[in-house]
Amino acid sequence: MPLGATFLDHYLDLKRIREGNMADNSAVEGGEDGGMRRRRSAQDDGDVDGTDRRKDDLDAIEIFEGHPSEQPQRVFSSGDAERRPLMTSARKRKSDEMLEKRSEPAQTAVSRAAAIMAGDHVPSPPAGSSLASTASVSNVGTLDRHTPGSLRILPRRRNRGMSLRSSLFTKSYDRRAIGENSFVGMQPVFSSAGHTISRQRTEKKGNEPSVTISPIADSESSLSASHCEPSFLNQDIPPASALPNYQHWAQRQANRHLPMQQVKEAYRKSRKFLLRIHEKPPSKDGRHVRVDASRSEPLIDDRTGRPHIDNTIRSSKYTVWNFLPQQVWAQFGKLANFYFLTVSTLQMIPGLSTTGTYTTIIPLLFFVSISMAKEGYEDLRRHRLDKGENNSEARVLRVSRSPLKAAGGELRDGSVHWASTKWRSLRVGDIVKLQRDEPAPADLVLLRSTGANNLAYVETMALDGETNLKPKQPPSCLVELYNSEDNIRVNRADFVVEDPNLDLYNFEGKVTTGGRIAPLTNNEVLYRGSILRNTPDAIGVVIYSGEECKIRMNANKNPRIKAPSLQAIVNKVVLIIVCFVVFLALFNTIAYRVWHGTDKNKRWYLIRAKVPFAHTLVTFIIMFNTMIPLSLYVSMEIIKVVQMLLLNSDIDMYDEVSDTPLEARTSTINEELGQVSYIFSDKTGTLTENVMQFRKLSVAGTAWLHDMDPLRSPPGGDILMHKKHRPEGKGKQALRKAPPVLGLQDRHDGYVGSLLQRQSLDAQRNPKYELPTAEMIRYIQRRPHTLFGQKAKMMILCMALCHTCLPERDGDGDEALSYQAASPDELALVQAARELGFVAYERDISALVLKIYPNGLDREPVYERYEVLDVIEFSSKRKRMSVVVRFPDGRICLMCKGADSAVIRRLRCADLAHQKSAEVEKRVNKRRSMEAQQALHRRSSVGSFPRTSSQLTRPSIARSSTSKAAPARDDIDDWLTGREHDATVPRRDERHYSPRPSAQLGRSSVAQSESGGFAFGDSYDDELVEDSLAANDALVIERCLQHINDFATDGLRTLLYGYRFLDDDEYRIWKKSYHDATTSLVNRQQRIEEAGELIEQQLELGGATAIEDKLQSGVPETIDRLRRANIKMWMLTGDKRETAINIGHSCRLIKDYSSVTVLDHETGDVAQRVAAFILEINKGGVAHAVVVIDGHTLSIIEADASLHALFLELAILADSVICCRASPSQKAGLVSAIRRRIKDSVTLAIGDGANDIAMIQEAHVGIGITGKEGLQAARVSDYSIAQFRFLTKLLLVHGRWNYIRTCKYTVGTFGKELLFYLTQALFQRSAGYTGTSLYESWSLSMFNTLFTSLVVIFLGIFEQDLRASTLIAVPELYTKGQRNGGFNLRIYLGWMFMAASQAIVVFYTMRSLYGSAGFTLDQSLFPLGDMTYTACVIIIAVKLQLIEQRYRTYMAALGIFLAIGGWLLWNLVLALTYHSSMNPEYYVKGSLFHTFGRNALWWLVLLLTVTACLAYEVAVRALKHAVFPTDVETFQTLEEDLGVRKRFEEASAPWLRAGWRLGGEKESAELEGQEEEQARREREVQDLLDKPRVMEEGRMTKGGVERVEDVAPTRGV
């Protein structure tokens, strides 16, 4: 829905109200470079003197002095959007001279957005003007009085103290609008017993609007201030943000006496008691942990006065204490159960019920107990998984209690040993030893590491999704203190750390030992879930345990009980039925009173037989209460359990590699799988495989494709192509095969033929211009002295030398060689160099030995030693790394790799590179614009969601006869093809990829063979790549930049390489300056970067590499299918922004023509960007909108309620959202925000790590990936799968089937109840409204149990309205569940109308044709009721199993047989065994054999009744299908055609191949053709048997036998 002006006006008003009542108590920050904020009085133009002013009278103007283009500012206007001026003019002084240059203030994006949507004319801003304002008016707090005449500069530091930083994770009460690099200045906090916090009054001046600008502080100055004055200094002034949690807690304690607060406090206490929530107050000075190996008593938590909690974790939903109350609330939250509880209570009152006392309460308790037991069993499995993790083993340092006597006679502690301890037994203060590849059992501070330079490398994928290893190091003061295990036993250290909190990215604390104090940051902490890598062992002390660990603090401790959204609709229907039952009872009660008053004098037995009105009303309510079947939810639970078993047994969702099937851990929300509108996905391990692979290389103007993965199977094997749809080859194809491999192992051959079959990251990519790297290596080996050969070898040398990886050998041979790398990108590059024949074999401190295969991998290698002189490390600011190496021939070479933006400007031809870069960007933008226009045109022609009924119901398709089936198949094929291919603009140009530019002039040099390999012309033996191309610098640079752009578009991570050779004198001079920089004690890092700038100049272009963060199989195709199903996909990851965007491109979450908006708090214009993008989307000018936001920016947005609402509006409008650097709690917060904002949507969260648990529990449906990060997410999820691609069938097929099944079961149940019991109500008129039942009581009680239960249960289990291949090929059909198209009020009323009309037909046909007949043998109550009962059973069984059910198997026949046969058998049993004393008014015994059973009229009327009702049902359905066909009915007609069905099978083959068995119906013409083909083959076989020698000299062809010599091509063809 378009965002109107009202919304933005409301947003601005909220900003005005919030800012108008907010006092700013922070002081001014100064700087020489324009980073100063000055204040002046609003009443005086002179300088500010803060010594004689009262703080309530101070107004201030905050002015930022700096260039507006460099430091943009956020502006919020607080006036009315329609009548206020754009900006209040402010008085200026000399310091404002720069601001006076503007003739008029510029409008902000928010103001322009409000004006545009309100219909006002808005002039365009002048050229060069900034959208950000430059003046502001705001109210400030008191100036410092200790420095008269001047402003005191308060430090801008992270005042977290011993609690979570309030600017990120708490709703601070004194927040300002956050701008670029701005911060939150907190007010001083005093104890609750002393001064109270006072807010400054805001004085308004008439109706003049005020404008507040968020200040933009220089980040470096802020950081310097933080380092200069840490939080434990300035003891005279209590730090404002040191204890915000403590202050909030104290305020809440003070407000407990208020009346409303008392009520809320009572509610909170009761809730916490039931849910076992223990809220702890924050500590005043942090958590104190003393390292003492000999301690025997546990440390005491200062917050509670009790020992710290143990290390037990619990991910299950229930405990022994809260299971019963939560389940009672959940079960009786279902309206039907509550309704029956009420009825059963009334029924147990003596004298009210005519149907027994306990006939409702006992079955109700039984059914509810079954449901509770199922929930308990599902949660019990989670308890068992938790138990497995809690019982894992860890090594803890223990000291024996018996003292030992040292040599000098002094007593020492006992012997030290590492005791094996279960994780659950760990306590705060325990010293834990980790070995390589072991996970951290709790949050630890590192004490000692045996790695190089005391470093411990940690993998944190389970926490933040990052694949890079993070180095951790003990505090500097502990390196010498704990250099051995004995010293850990003897020496002591005191840690003071912050209270447990959610922040994974920041940590504050300190360590004190021997009078020395050192700070603690994230660099010294190992969080639970992180894994020790590339380090022999490490020792740490536990600081947080169990549920206080960071990762567990981010988890949802009290997950909500998930209930399907369909249950809410069912509750509404139940409420309607309850009202109908009450109305029916009230009508019958009034009718009885009228009848009794009229006929009591005519019937003597009614005299003085008056029944009270309320008594009669309750009796009728009890009588008709079964219109809501008691077994409604129980039968539904049975259906869902069987649906869960069908899910678990689906072979298409079984992963053979990991031997993991789908596992459904709950059956409660099966139908939710068919209604998903939003998917929130993790990245690492969910979309990707946590594997980096080198994929492409650009060198000397040519692009090469690298594929050495023997496990990668070509997608051609996954695609089913029927004969009639196989593309026939057109044009000429090369007939000769590729030349034989020379010098390489045979494994390279197997990939050359399959390279072109490899599925690209982009479906539009044309791979024939990217040659395999195996061909490049062969060419270098054959022609090493060509210019291309020299450049290609230099590029591979750069890959093999420019890194910091350490080789490790576990045996002989290259296969036993592994590498330790801090970055998986470096590891992928080194492994690629090894596969290309340049093996990094051995490394020491100053040298790297390469094992090179100059003549092929099967020849003798050559060992070359390269001396590594210097390594200039990579940094986020430099965006590159360099190494200086000395070649074996003595030459010195600088090799540099990094981002293209950082390397291009350091090239020798930098100016030419910038020119070519602009040309490439221009071409790319033109192509993207064309793709966007095509996408917009397609959207405008078919709508954002294609309604198939409007496009496929033409006479040639929907109503095509057999003779007109071919046009329908062609239309379907075109329709599917148009949706499977996103754009038709060519993505690749041969001019930028051909290795032979002369081939573009008419001579072809490379062709694609039929088998998928490469075939080369005569020139192959002479020249694969023209040296003229390698010598043309302009062409090489242009092609390389084009390749980088194309690689990045495919989602690959690109690096640009450069190199240059240095002479000895130049290197000697630079080495001195670099040595001085590395040994400097002041600004070391800055000086190192400056030294690197000196030498990283005039580089020669080496080439470019592209690394793939390998996606799981089928991820891009799955996302495309989900997008077509109108499911929006969000990616929430803790990884870096660049990595997240690259994965977004590769998995097609971001299209090439997408409009990507990055929201970054550092730019300072978040609100403007949000508002502007909303306007652009609503204008319809965005083909595909993607929003990218980081966790820090998100926390700032969440702190502002109005801005948060605006952001959510944008997120809902966007096609995709990518959130990077997000903490687990932020992931869950986004899921919760969408779930609450869009009430009718169903959210699904999928992940594989512990950091995904919170969002999995928060979403409607949680899916866990059983991946490399473990089973943390899988064990708390609702469903677990092994691959992301399984979502396609899980949602589009099983989810939709389960939704349709559940809906049909529900409406079928309500329909059969109304059909049956409405006849009972119609009979009351004939019984004088006395409550007499038409049916015998035993038969009445068995209606839902024995005779009609199986037909609705079978319908809810086996129904398939469409084939699986159709649902996957046409994902648009999935939207039926999103629109509640299977069960809604309209559908319910339609079923009720049919049931009511059929009930009328059944009853009055029985009454008029049989009950009023004068020649029947028995017209008593039982024959009439038995006929009605029989007709209802037959109609219900046939309708539900034959008419309503699309997928009919033998189970349908079985259901009909059991229902009708069971009823007939029941009649036989009653006729033989019934005693008249039970119900004397019903003549049951023997009547079937002697009275009405021998009467032909009874059977004739029964047959006529059933036939009339079924004919009426079929006629209504046929009329509806002819006049108002639905999408489902259209495709049901289409898939009956074999040709169309095969086209659907081809489109869905990748997801159905595992369990597919082709067969089924064949066309008659196809059967005849198969018979003729089989006969021809038999004749050919017989001919071959008669001529056996032909098999040795010839070969079979389609036409017969042909000599090999006759078909062998000549050379050069």
Side-chain angles (χ1 to χ4, degrees), residues 80 127 137 152 170 387 397 405 497 530 574 649 679 796 834 836 886 955 1198 1331 1484 1571:
D80 186 78
V137 178
R152 180 184 178 186
T170 60
K387 185 177 180 181
L397 182 64
K405 194 169 185 179
V497 297
S530 56
V574 169
S649 61
I679 292 181
I796 302 176
R834 179 176 70 175
L836 295 175
R886 188 186 299 276
E1198 289 175 342
V1484 179
E1571 293 176 358

Side-chain angles (χ1 to χ4, degrees), residues 1062-1116:
L1062 311 172
D1063 55 42
D1064 291 341
D1065 294 336
E1066 181 183 6
Y1067 172 71
R1068 192 180 304 110
I1069 296 173
W1070 175 83
K1071 177 64 177 179
K1072 183 180 183 304
S1073 62
Y1074 183 69
H1075 180 268
D1076 294 341
T1078 55
T1079 57
S1080 173
L1081 299 179
V1082 180
N1083 297 329
R1084 177 183 299 177
Q1085 185 62 33
Q1086 180 180 354
R1087 295 188 60 181
I1088 290 176
E1089 294 176 358
E1090 292 174 352
E1093 291 281 351
L1094 295 177
I1095 197 172
E1096 294 169 339
Q1097 302 294 335
Q1098 299 297 313
L1099 302 177
E1100 297 290 337
L1101 177 62
T1105 60
I1107 299 173
E1108 175 189 3
D1109 192 351
K1110 188 177 179 182
L1111 296 176
Q1112 292 185 8
S1113 175
V1115 168

Side-chain angles (χ1 to χ4, degrees), residues 294-345:
S294 62
R295 180 178 54 249
S296 59
E297 297 295 329
L299 293 176
I300 302 300
D301 190 347
D302 295 337
R303 301 174 300 168
T304 61
R306 296 190 296 269
H308 291 283
I309 64 174
D310 58 17
N311 201 38
T312 303
I313 60 105
R314 182 178 66 87
S315 59
S316 55
K317 296 180 181 179
Y318 309 108
T319 64
V320 177
W321 299 98
N322 64 14
F323 174 75
L324 186 60
Q326 288 196 29
Q327 271 301 301
V328 168
W329 176 265
Q331 294 300 327
F332 289 102
K334 302 173 183 178
L335 188 57
N337 286 347
F338 180 77
Y339 166 75
F340 282 116
L341 179 64
T342 304
V343 171
S344 61
T345 304

